[in-house]
Amino acid sequence: MGLLQIFFAVIFGCVSLLVAFQLMNGKCLQLVYKYDESANYQKQQQEAKATEIAKLASAVTFAFFATDASLLFYELGQTMGVPDLATTFSLVCDVAMVAFLITVVRLYVKLVGSKDPKAKFKSSNVRVTVFVLVQCVLLSLMAVAF
């Protein structure tokens, strides 16, 4: 069972790191923001809002990666029988989980405090919410599996 856990942790870590860098660089914005095609919103304002949300979401994804990597090294420590490594990365995982929660709260505080009328319960918030929810579910499943 340990080898399967390690495999999934590596896959999730690589994908999350790739997505985090893409969001940080302003690519793959469709993951967290849906552009409104109506005439009420200007394209430039939407680009700025999408970039802001993407940078906040990338911080959440980097925290997901840190938690995933610490769980991976914890499992490696357990599998190899090195209790010091497992204990150290158990503590690192705790810190990374707190960082994950802080970045999620920060993301939603910024979304709620936005002056954009589209930001209240519209499709953009649904996308970023699903994006974060998927990460929370994956992290929970990995934590239970490890």
Side-chain angles (χ1 to χ4, degrees):
M1 183 71 173
L3 197 56
L4 188 63
Q5 292 168 333
I6 291 170
F7 173 75
F8 281 117
V10 168
I11 296 297
F12 290 152
C14 291
V15 170
S16 68
L17 196 59
L18 177 70
V19 169
F21 276 118
Q22 292 294 322
L23 287 173
M24 188 176 69
N25 291 328
K27 298 175 183 166
C28 297
L29 298 177
Q30 300 83 9
L31 288 173
V32 294
Y33 192 84
K34 181 179 180 185
Y35 291 98
D36 190 2
E37 301 299 329
S38 69
N40 294 340
Y41 297 101
Q42 295 178 357
K43 186 73 170 168
Q44 188 176 18
Q45 289 175 339
Q46 289 186 47
E47 283 288 332
K49 185 67 180 170
T51 303
E52 178 187 349
I53 291 173
K55 287 188 183 199
L56 293 169
S58 73
V60 173
T61 309
F62 277 123
F64 174 86
F65 170 74
T67 307
D68 176 63
S70 60
L71 279 172
L72 172 66
F73 285 111
Y74 168 78
E75 182 62 28
L76 287 173
Q78 291 283 57
T79 303
M80 293 186 313
V82 182
D84 292 338
L85 183 69
T87 303
T88 301
F89 280 101
S90 176
L91 293 173
V92 171
C93 183
D94 293 342
V95 171
M97 271 297 225
V98 170
F100 180 78
L101 293 174
I102 288 171
T103 57
V104 168
V105 168
R106 182 175 156 239
L107 171 72
Y108 285 110
V109 165
K110 295 274 186 172
L111 285 177
V112 170
S114 173
K115 302 291 184 212
D116 186 11
K118 186 178 185 244
K120 301 267 186 195
F121 303 108
K122 300 287 183 179
S123 61
S124 290
N125 279 3
V126 170
R127 284 191 184 202
V128 75
T129 300
V130 168
F131 181 76
V132 171
L133 184 63
V134 166
Q135 290 182 358
C136 289
V137 167
L138 288 175
L139 209 51
S140 298
L141 289 175
M142 286 184 352
V144 168
F146 286 109

